Amino acid sequence: MASAAEVQALLRFLTQDAKVPLPTAMSKVKELHKAGLTSPSALFQSDIQTIQLVFLDEKLAKQVFNAAKRTSKKRTSTEGAAGGAGKRPKKSFTEDPPTPTALEESLSLPCSTQNEDGLAQIILITNRAPLVLAFAVTLLKYTMPEQPLSSRLSLAQAVVSANSRSKAVSLGLEKGRSAEDEGWGSGQPVAKIMGREIRVLTRWGYAWKEDVKVLSAAVVKAEEPAEEQDGLVVQVEHNDQAPALWGLDLEALRSSNGPQTSATPSSTTSNLSIYTAQSARAYLMKSFSSPPKTSANDIKASSRKKSATGIAMEKEENLGLLLSALDLLYTSWAPVLNKDELDRRAWS
């Protein structure tokens, strides 16, 4: 019988590394365990024909096998470099890992093996902002699939921050002109997400996966609308080879008094006026609580105070449940709605 951790690890590999749609991955986990294909290394040591017996699709089987091959080789080289070091270093979410691949791995988000009926029974407690963030991060997997997870987290946080400021202004909690109104984003590329235009920073040369070539500025086009006075509005074209993006923090940019036009692969997030992927991820991980227990047995079981680690684990599990439910929602919409319509309906 597979443990929950093994199932979670296999599901994470299938959806994040092999890019298998979540419903398909969930339906195949049990068959993979029966066949002894419980890890990327086991899949790599197998063959495409065996994997195809599970997925019933040659293209998908090759996709899974190639992902297993990449993951196994990466793990082998990492273990070799470690040279028998005893304790594994903790992942840091305050500084960028040294390589794009390591950064993307460090930002992985939890997922759940619950089926649709199980997810329908889940109740979570949260605030509006992290819920919008979860909606936006998941939406971008479908409307901007060319973007790595680090970019999706950053772009989603930019949308949430813009929404929060608009809400604060409408309630009279914040006054004065925004950095956008003062022209601090003038000339920067624009991405439209959940109906809101946000300024972005291009990450030229950021090669986050082996099979994608990173293009130059040719994939970004400039247009000059009749009403634009302060500069060009550059709109991002979405295609499989578009450059990765950061969500630009215009308020931080105004505070730093310095324009930034692009990020190079060697740029660190600490010296860029952007919404960092690490902070967006940390916000998600701590924002979804379970409701208070109501039955006598549950109250008695939960009377003992939970440790900080236990609370963090519960919130991580809750986030996985929410993201899985959102994945199912967007997966059901994606075949019948184009990207613009999907973006429009995401929150409305």
Side-chain angles (χ1 to χ4, degrees):
M1 183 72 179
S3 68
E6 288 175 332
V7 172
Q8 186 89 344
L10 182 57
L11 193 60
R12 186 181 296 114
F13 162 75
L14 291 172
T15 56
Q16 296 178 2
D17 296 310
K19 307 301 179 189
V20 176
L22 181 63
T24 304
M26 291 173 66
S27 68
K28 298 299 180 183
V29 165
K30 190 174 181 181
E31 292 179 53
L32 287 169
H33 272 275
K34 280 184 178 178
L37 305 174
T38 58
S39 66
S41 58
L43 286 162
F44 177 46
Q45 289 166 11
S46 179
D47 54 64
I48 294 174
Q49 288 73 26
T50 303
I51 298 172
Q52 190 176 338
L53 291 174
V54 176
F55 287 94
L56 307 177
D57 182 285
E58 184 179 2
K59 184 180 178 182
L60 194 56
K62 286 181 179 178
Q63 189 174 312
V64 171
F65 179 79
N66 290 334
K69 181 179 179 182
R70 288 195 304 271
T71 303
S72 298
K73 284 185 176 180
K74 195 189 308 170
R75 193 166 293 170
T76 301
S77 62
T78 303
E79 288 171 357
K87 218 173 182 181
R88 291 180 65 185
K90 291 183 180 179
K91 291 181 181 178
S92 169
F93 299 113
T94 57
E95 296 180 3
D96 282 356
T99 66
T101 301
L103 171 59
E104 300 306 324
E105 288 181 350
S106 75
L107 295 169
S108 63
L109 294 170
C111 55
S112 171
T113 58
Q114 281 272 19
N115 59 26
E116 188 174 348
D117 291 336
L119 291 171
Q121 306 304 314
I122 301 299
I123 299 174
L124 303 178
I125 298 176
T126 189
N127 294 320
R128 183 178 186 275
L131 186 60
V132 176
L133 181 59
F135 266 78
V137 167
T138 311
L139 169 70
L140 290 172
K141 288 171 63 176
Y142 298 87
T143 57
M144 298 175 70
E146 76 281 359
Q147 293 298 313
L149 178 57
S150 58
S151 290
R152 298 200 301 269
L153 284 163
S154 177
L155 295 170
Q157 184 61 62
V159 173
V160 172
S161 296
N163 284 348
S164 297
R165 191 181 193 286
S166 296
K167 191 76 172 174
V169 170
S170 68
L171 295 173
L173 300 176
E174 220 170 293
K175 297 180 181 179
R177 299 177 70 200
S178 67
E180 174 78 30
D181 293 337
E182 290 183 1
W184 282 93
S186 179
Q188 286 297 124
V190 171
K192 191 172 183 180
I193 302 168
M194 294 175 75
R196 182 178 287 276
E197 289 188 342
I198 61 168
R199 301 286 175 167
V200 298
L201 193 67
T202 48
R203 302 165 67 184
W204 300 122
Y206 184 73
W208 61 283
K209 57 183 181 180
E210 299 168 5
D211 54 344
V212 171
K213 295 178 181 178
V214 180
L215 297 189
S216 66
V219 297
V220 177
K221 62 180 181 181
E223 297 176 356
E224 187 172 6
E227 299 295 324
E228 184 71 9
Q229 298 293 329
D230 296 327
L232 297 178
V233 172
V234 183
Q235 296 183 328
V236 177
E237 274 192 27
H238 305 313
N239 60 59
D240 291 339
Q241 295 180 318
L245 304 169
W246 287 127
L248 190 57
D249 187 346
L250 296 180
E251 301 300 328
L253 183 60
R254 176 169 60 179
S255 300
S256 68
N257 290 313
Q260 291 163 344
T261 58
S262 65
T264 64
S266 59
S267 301
T268 61
T269 57
S270 59
N271 56 24
L272 295 174
S273 300
I274 60 168
Y275 294 100
T276 66
Q278 292 90 340
S279 61
R281 180 187 186 276
Y283 189 32
L284 282 172
M285 295 287 279
K286 67 181 183 182
S287 296
F288 299 93
S289 304
S290 299
K293 306 297 183 182
T294 54
S295 72
N297 289 336
D298 286 340
I299 291 173
K300 187 177 179 180
S302 62
S303 58
R304 287 180 239 165
K305 190 175 180 181
K306 285 186 179 179
S307 66
T309 302
I311 293 172
M313 289 177 65
E314 182 181 84
K315 289 183 175 181
E316 179 178 345
E317 182 182 351
N318 288 342
L319 174 60
L321 291 167
L322 174 62
L323 295 178
S324 296
L326 290 173
D327 252 324
L328 288 174
L329 172 66
Y330 290 131
T331 299
S332 69
W333 283 354
V336 293
L337 299 177
N338 61 38
K339 291 181 180 179
D340 290 339
E341 186 66 12
L342 191 59
D343 182 89
R344 188 183 70 79
R345 292 197 188 187
W347 183 249
S348 60

